[in-house]
Amino acid sequence: MDDRTRLLSEWVDQPPAGPLVQYLRDAERRAVLETLDSPTHVLDIASETGVTRALPDDAAVTRVDFSPEASARERETLDGVETFASTTPESPTLPFGRSRFDAAVCVGPLDWRFLDADHLSREVSRVLTRGGTFAVTAPTPESPYHVGGRYELTYRTPDEFESVLAPHFHPNDQTYIYQPPEKVQWLAGTLPTGLERRVADYAQRRTETCSRDRASYVVTGATAPGYRARLDDALDCLLRPVAEQGFFDPETDRFHGRLDYSLTDTGAMRWRAGEGSRQRYGPLALLGVARWRQSPLGDDRYDDRISRLADGYETLVETEGDELPSYALGPLTGAFALLSMAGFDTLSVAEDAFARSRDRFAFDHSEDGLLLHGWSYLHDATGDPVEVTTALREGAQAVAARQDPETGLFAFDNPTTDRHQNQMYVLWGLCRAIEVAAGDGYLENATAVLDYTLDARLREDGALLWLEPGRIEELSVALGRGEYPQWKLLFACHQSFFAIAAAHYRRAGGDRNLDKPVERAMAWLHGTNDLGRDLTDLTGLGVPARHLTTDGRLDAPREQFKGAYEIGAYLFALTELTAW
């Protein structure tokens, strides 16, 4: 038996230990169990058997270990476990369907260098229900064992630990466990048991007031946001007929632009079909559907309706393509290219949309960045065609030339150029161009915009500002129209726009770790907002409410609707997050 197999087999059923080691085991176990809220089906991921035996008696327990030998040993030593399984730590794919468990625990394995902790986090999120709890522990560099074992095991700061969980989990309150310094720990181990127990009692008292920066171990009960289930709800909403409070218009085989709402006396939203530009809203909705369908998550359950939508928008390109704005032609090019990669006969339509946009736009408007985004998928679908590659490289250069050296933001001719969504549209296109054709020399340009966004627009609660507060010219326009000033409006779609930009930046090779910012941004949709509510629960549609004001209102004038483009972006973001 090799060393790794022996470690995996022996770790889970450890012999009795002295007071200081036992104190640590007990402290971890207590903290983990306190995070669980009456679970019905718990997944135990290779925890030490003392943890497994302490799980609630009325919960069904499934256990997964990281070697067949460890799993076989646990079958002999553990009672009360319904199912045993094993997986490979270097690629820990869990052999269970999604949303099977309402809780998972993992005490110990994050120490191991051969464990792909990021992959495990994604897999645990997949198999947990929306709102399920992941109770997990990790050692920090403050651990006394770090002194002699820093190259043997993995030690993470609390921030690094949160990054492992993000963006697949929203971390809750953490417990910080104190251990004495290495020399004290060693000395205590040489003392008689009674004296060593006193040191352990002291450590326990210190744990009750331990600060984040002094913790030897961190225990958190993170919440699963349920991205895959939310994606299914958003798909259903977008592809439902308008008559059923959806967005599919069976008369035109396109998306209806928007649904409007009024608030009842109880605060419920009453929905009706509204007015809205199908040319402007529908293409981005189709792009979100196409990205899902082309991804590994996609399946054929909506293919009949998607085919009708493809025909409807093909007619739009044929009849009005020369007048469509870049906001429409870019997403349509991308949508038809993605659908072609999913098996639909739409590649020629993507090529037509590209031809109609190639020479019409001078990249003087921030929404022209969506052309780069759409063209990049045509590049993927056609296998590096010279004309598309050239267009992407020229477009990336044109975008880079528009960057303000003082702020780092892109500065185009349109008056809304510096708004959050316009900056994100350009980032989508630039990052995708970098990934497929333009080279990473432009990553610095993308990083500058993201840095500005994190520093100036990402609020503490995770909301993203449309604009920074205090712009007199914007205030005067808003007051003149009877509207809220733009910096007092927080939009759900801005969270999606940022998540998409971060995913593209990550895939393009960017060096900023955006896991935690993306998690914070999505958590705002799910409860860290001023209402303390999941914004999806407010609508009854399966998608988040369009907006909140900074004083927690849902009734800002002219903003009481949900646009098809918002749901398309939400779908796109959820698809990217599920594969993050």
Side-chain angles (χ1 to χ4, degrees):
M1 183 181 296
D2 60 66
D3 289 342
R4 198 195 72 165
T5 301
R6 184 178 297 106
L7 169 65
L8 292 169
S9 181
E10 295 177 354
W11 148 256
V12 292
D13 192 22
Q14 299 175 7
L20 264 178
V21 173
Q22 191 60 47
Y23 146 73
L24 175 62
R25 294 178 185 173
D26 293 344
E28 285 188 278
R29 183 176 65 252
R30 282 194 300 269
V32 163
L33 295 176
E34 287 172 1
T35 68
L36 302 181
D37 184 20
S38 303
T40 60
H41 198 171
V42 181
L43 174 64
D44 183 355
I45 305 167
S47 299
E48 194 269 331
T49 51
V51 174
T52 310
R53 294 188 180 101
L55 291 172
D57 292 336
D58 55 352
V61 177
T62 294
R63 183 180 173 95
V64 62
D65 286 287
F66 290 116
S67 75
E69 292 83 0
S71 185
R73 180 167 180 167
E74 295 317 298
R75 291 172 189 269
E76 298 175 357
T77 59
L78 283 174
D79 296 323
V81 175
E82 290 191 351
T83 305
F84 292 88
S86 63
T87 188
T88 304
E90 288 83 359
S91 181
T93 301
L94 298 176
F96 312 111
R98 67 186 181 91
S99 302
R100 177 168 171 179
F101 308 95
D102 58 355
V105 298
C106 183
V107 180
L110 259 67
D111 303 18
W112 303 334
R113 287 191 173 274
F114 48 77
L115 175 67
D116 187 338
D118 291 305
H119 187 88
L120 178 64
S121 177
R122 180 168 62 249
E123 278 288 281
V124 175
S125 180
R126 178 181 64 81
V127 302
L128 284 182
T129 57
R130 172 180 161 183
T133 299
F134 185 24
V136 59
T137 72
T140 79
E142 292 296 313
S143 167
Y145 308 124
H146 179 259
V147 175
R150 71 185 70 183
Y151 300 118
E152 180 183 359
L153 300 176
T154 297
Y155 297 84
R156 296 179 175 88
T157 66
D159 283 345
E160 291 169 340
F161 179 33
E162 289 176 357
S163 290
V164 168
L165 298 177
H168 311 293
F169 287 94
H170 301 325
N172 300 325
D173 292 339
Q174 294 179 329
T175 298
Y176 305 120
I177 296 176
Y178 174 82
Q179 287 179 283
E182 186 267 343
K183 290 184 178 179
V184 175
Q185 184 96 354
W186 174 84
L187 180 61
T190 66
L191 298 174
T193 300
L195 293 178
E196 184 182 357
R197 185 170 291 112
R198 291 188 181 183
V199 180
D201 292 342
Y202 167 77
Q204 183 170 343
R205 291 194 298 272
R206 285 291 303 271
T207 286
E208 295 172 0
T209 59
C210 186
S211 62
R212 182 182 176 93
D213 61 340
R214 295 301 305 273
S216 295
Y217 271 78
V218 179
V219 182
T220 189
T223 301
Y227 292 139
R228 180 62 187 268
R230 294 177 188 276
L231 186 153
D232 287 342
D233 290 344
L235 269 172
D236 178 66
C237 176
L238 195 55
L239 294 171
R240 281 197 307 263
V242 177
E244 300 173 19
Q245 295 189 337
F247 287 82
F248 176 68
D249 182 351
E251 295 183 5
T252 63
D253 285 342
R254 297 178 195 164
F255 287 112
H256 190 75
R258 55 190 265 181
L259 299 183
D260 294 350
Y261 69 87
S262 57
L263 292 173
T264 68
D265 292 341
T266 62
M269 291 181 174
R270 182 176 294 149
W271 294 93
R272 65 187 182 279
E275 299 297 327
S277 169
R278 294 184 179 129
Q279 288 185 6
R280 186 170 180 82
Y281 290 0
L284 197 51
L286 185 65
L287 179 68
V289 171
R291 176 66 184 99
W292 163 78
R293 184 62 182 86
Q294 175 268 341
S295 78
L297 304 173
D299 55 54
D300 62 3
R301 62 188 133 143
Y302 294 109
D303 277 5
D304 289 345
R305 193 148 294 175
I306 293 173
S307 293
R308 290 179 61 180
L309 287 164
D311 290 342
Y313 283 103
E314 179 178 0
T315 300
L316 178 65
V317 172
E318 290 174 349
T319 58
E320 302 179 41
D322 292 335
E323 288 78 41
L324 290 176
S326 57
Y327 191 98
L329 276 176
L332 285 174
T333 304
F336 285 122
L338 286 164
L339 289 175
S340 75
M341 290 187 279
F344 293 80
D345 186 19
T346 56
L347 182 58
S348 62
V349 191
E351 291 171 332
D352 184 18
F354 168 75
R356 292 173 187 268
S357 60
R358 171 67 173 97
D359 297 321
R360 265 187 60 205
F361 301 97
F363 289 92
D364 55 1
H365 193 295
S366 55
E367 291 175 356
D368 294 350
L370 290 170
L371 294 172
L372 288 179
H373 191 245
W375 295 351
S376 74
Y377 291 109
L378 180 59
H379 179 281
D380 289 346
T382 54
D384 194 20
V386 173
E387 187 173 4
V388 178
T389 299
T390 300
L392 286 168
R393 290 171 177 169
E394 291 176 356
Q397 175 56 32
V399 164
R402 287 284 186 166
Q403 199 151 22
D404 185 335
E406 293 186 7
T407 65
L409 295 178
F410 299 114
F412 292 86
D413 294 346
N414 55 298
T416 60
T417 184
D418 54 352
R419 293 180 185 177
H420 172 71
Q421 76 270 29
N422 285 279
Q423 295 294 312
M424 295 300 102
Y425 295 154
V426 181
L427 274 186
W428 295 3
L430 180 60
C431 289
R432 278 289 298 164
I434 292 168
E435 180 184 353
V436 304
D440 60 10
Y442 295 106
L443 276 173
E444 185 177 1
N445 303 79
T447 301
V449 179
L450 287 167
D451 284 347
Y452 184 96
T453 301
L454 298 179
D455 292 342
R457 291 183 171 163
L458 182 64
R459 301 196 330 168
E460 187 63 31
D461 64 358
L464 284 148
L465 297 172
W466 201 3
L467 284 173
E468 300 87 318
R471 300 195 179 199
I472 300 300
E473 68 276 11
E474 298 290 348
L475 176 61
S476 62
V477 171
L479 294 178
R481 293 180 177 176
E483 300 173 354
Y484 268 68
Q486 292 172 355
W487 62 83
K488 290 190 175 183
L489 290 170
L490 306 172
F491 291 99
C493 60
H494 288 180
Q495 316 302 107
S496 301
F497 294 160
F498 172 66
I500 296 168
H504 288 334
Y505 174 79
R506 182 173 184 261
R507 200 165 288 122
D511 61 1
R512 291 289 187 273
N513 187 334
L514 299 174
D515 293 354
K516 288 178 63 179
V518 168
E519 180 277 319
R520 284 174 55 200
M522 298 306 289
W524 184 83
L525 297 177
H526 307 150
T528 63
N529 52 71
D530 288 340
L531 294 181
R533 296 281 304 278
D534 189 322
L535 298 186
T536 302
D537 296 339
L538 300 178
T539 65
L541 297 178
V543 294
R546 171 176 167 78
H547 79 283
L548 277 183
T549 65
T550 52
D551 52 353
R553 299 178 65 92
L554 294 162
D555 58 355
R558 301 178 64 172
E559 300 296 346
Q560 292 177 216
F561 71 92
K562 190 68 178 178
Y565 74 95
E566 303 173 58
I567 305 175
Y570 184 56
L571 263 176
F572 204 120
L574 291 173
T575 301
E576 296 292 340
L577 285 165
T578 304
W580 189 282

